[in-house]
Amino acid sequence: MKIIDIETIIFKYKSKIGIDIAGHTHPSEEHDAYQTLTRIVTDEGVDGFCFGGNKKINDRIIKPALIGKNPMDREKIWQYLYRDLQGSRGLISDGQLAVIDMALWDFAGRYLNMPVYKLLGGYREKVKAYASTMVGDEIEGGLNSPEAYADFAEKLVKQGYKAIKLHTWFPPIEWAPNPEMDIAACRAVREAVGEDIALMLDCYHSYNREEALYIGRELEKLGFYWFEEPMDEHNISAYVWLAENLEIPILG
Amino acid sequence: MKIIDIETIIFKYKSKIGIDIAGHTHPSEEHDAYQTLTRIVTDEGVDGFCFGGNKKINDRIIKPALIGKNPMDREKIWQYLYRDLQGSRGLISDGQLAVIDMALWDFAGRYLNMPVYKLLGGYREKVKAYASTMVGDEIEGGLNSPEAYADFAEKLVKQGYKAIKLHTWFPPIEWAPNPEMDIAACRAVREAVGEDIALMLDCYHSYNREEALYIGRELEKLGFYWFEEPMDEHNISAYVWLAENLEIPILG
């Protein structure tokens, strides 16, 4: 059993999602977009697939590194890519490494004819889903006001969602971040959907302690379910302080 | 796919190994000994096995808990036994839990016709082995002196071992523990086997810092490969201190 090829399949498709300079997605005019699919080909007649993977990296590094290796040797392959090829660490990103690892898991599931979640040790057959909004914007028909969030949340509830997470306004919007606007959106959504829908807020990620505490206390009044990454994710002491001063669960 | 029975098979065999009041094994007169084998029976015609498992616990708790469950749901089963049956935690020891988990892994390997180490993600096809002595004793023909360790080590090297770990003298031997005797045994073994055999020491586990430092420095002179658990395993600060004061690797 061995790997005989690595392919990177590139799809072109029509998208109405754009990305701003902060890396956040927004509605956009329809345009061409691209998605890759990494395929690990083996001599068993069974392949492993995972969305993602950079074609140049796959061709130049991953393919010569993996040809001839046993596709069930995930640990050996991971350690080889991560440690032995350390000089290429800048090219083999964590994301690229994860694509290869997941494609190998996908191979294992297909080869053994068993879902990967069962191979890993099953726990449940389904998981709860929540609707997650894009970040706020200034686009006509978009999430451009607290009322727009409320209208959108009502549509989500009609679609059957029992939980909704808001992403509010971020730079490069000139007046963002803005704690009061975050809370205005959260309040409008709570009033629109009532008390039986679980609500979460994932707002700007670099508020200071006072701003985060203000937002957290308002979310507690609005009965929110969690408060996600309001401060620098590396500042553990700030999160300890915030968690001690709030009752709402904090996600780092 | 479901579990339909849990069996505990009990073997009687002849043993020449005895256990002292500290839980250490020694050579002994031949006597009857017992070993259990836990068998998880499924409706797939494939079972999972693991040595160990207490028959009473298997019959009273594990069997009613597991009947009807999917044997690939290792995570669900583990969480159920560990968390949901918390009131029986005193009966379901970590060892018992591990036996069930390993028997379920064994089932997975047999059912999928693939070795478990490959399911987990393979890394290597073989591992280095070292010979590990019993603890010291006062038995004629046993490990009753530094010279006895040296003679035994020479036999191990002749059998092909490239590495040997010594367990030296422990209570209830009246004069144990004794750092000087530990070092005398280590020195005798080093002189007997030469410099090309890797040697490790796993001595008494509750020495104080000064005793551990003395032993560690002597082991460094003798070119030992590691120094294992010389102090209370819960005293992390003592291990930090020892590691800072020695160059030989310390195992906690």
Side-chain angles (χ1 to χ4, degrees), chain A residues 10-65:
Chain A
I10 301 177
F11 298 94
K12 186 167 97 171
Y13 65 103
K14 298 292 181 187
S15 170
K16 291 183 175 180
I17 297 175
I19 299 179
D20 67 26
I21 59 167
H24 293 127
T25 54
H26 298 281
S28 77
E29 294 298 307
E30 185 172 287
H31 58 97
D32 287 341
Y34 298 87
Q35 169 70 51
T36 64
L37 178 71
T38 293
R39 177 188 189 188
I40 296 178
V41 185
T42 79
D43 64 355
E44 293 285 339
V46 179
D47 303 334
F49 298 87
C50 184
F51 280 118
N54 178 293
K55 179 167 168 50
K56 284 183 189 169
I57 305 298
N58 276 345
D59 289 348
R60 178 176 147 195
I61 299 176
I62 305 297
K63 182 172 170 175

Side-chain angles (χ1 to χ4, degrees), chain A residues 56-249:
Chain A
K56 284 183 189 169
I57 305 298
N58 276 345
D59 289 348
R60 178 176 147 195
I61 299 176
I62 305 297
K63 182 172 170 175
L66 264 59
I67 293 286
K69 288 205 164 58
N70 184 323
M72 290 303 298
D73 283 351
R74 285 185 306 276
E75 185 65 20
K76 185 177 187 177
I77 289 169
W78 194 95
Q79 298 291 343
Y80 183 72
L81 294 175
Y82 189 74
R83 297 189 196 285
D84 292 357
L85 306 189
Q86 191 170 354
S88 294
R89 183 78 51 84
L91 299 173
I92 308 173
S93 66
D94 287 354
Q96 179 80 32
L97 199 52
V99 164
I100 300 304
D101 201 46
M102 288 191 284
L104 291 170
W105 273 109
D106 185 63
F107 165 82
R110 292 170 190 271
Y111 177 77
L112 296 166
N113 196 30
M114 181 169 284
V116 170
Y117 82 99
K118 286 285 184 193
L119 291 180
L120 288 163
Y123 185 89
R124 48 174 72 80
E125 301 301 316
K126 53 186 181 177
V127 293
K128 292 180 181 175
Y130 63 81
S132 182
T133 75
M134 287 187 183
V135 305
D137 55 48
E138 295 181 300
I139 299 166
E140 195 176 341
L143 295 171
N144 59 10
S145 68
E147 296 69 34
Y149 275 91
D151 291 345
F152 186 55
E154 284 185 338
K155 286 181 194 162
L156 293 170
V157 171
K158 279 183 189 145
Q159 287 177 33
Y161 285 103
K162 304 293 186 198
I164 301 169
K165 187 167 86 179
L166 286 72
H167 292 92
T168 42
W169 294 276
F170 289 70
I173 289 178
E174 210 172 310
W175 51 266
N178 184 307
E180 289 77 15
M181 280 296 283
D182 290 348
I183 291 304
C186 291
R187 183 176 295 116
V189 169
R190 173 57 79 205
E191 288 171 359
V193 302
E195 292 183 3
D196 295 338
I197 302 297
L199 295 176
M200 298 83 82
L201 172 65
D202 185 359
C203 59
Y204 178 62
H205 42 71
S206 294
Y207 279 125
N208 65 30
R209 294 187 185 197
E210 288 182 31
E211 292 163 334
L213 184 63
Y214 159 74
I215 296 168
R217 287 190 172 154
E218 294 300 316
L219 293 182
E220 288 177 350
K221 293 177 198 164
L222 294 170
F224 266 51
Y225 191 63
W226 78 55
F227 180 23
E228 184 164 336
E229 199 190 340
M231 303 179 295
D232 178 354
E233 63 185 336
H234 303 100
N235 191 342
I236 301 298
S237 58
Y239 277 93
V240 170
W241 176 87
L242 188 65
E244 285 173 349
N245 280 280
L246 289 173
E247 295 190 6
I248 187 172

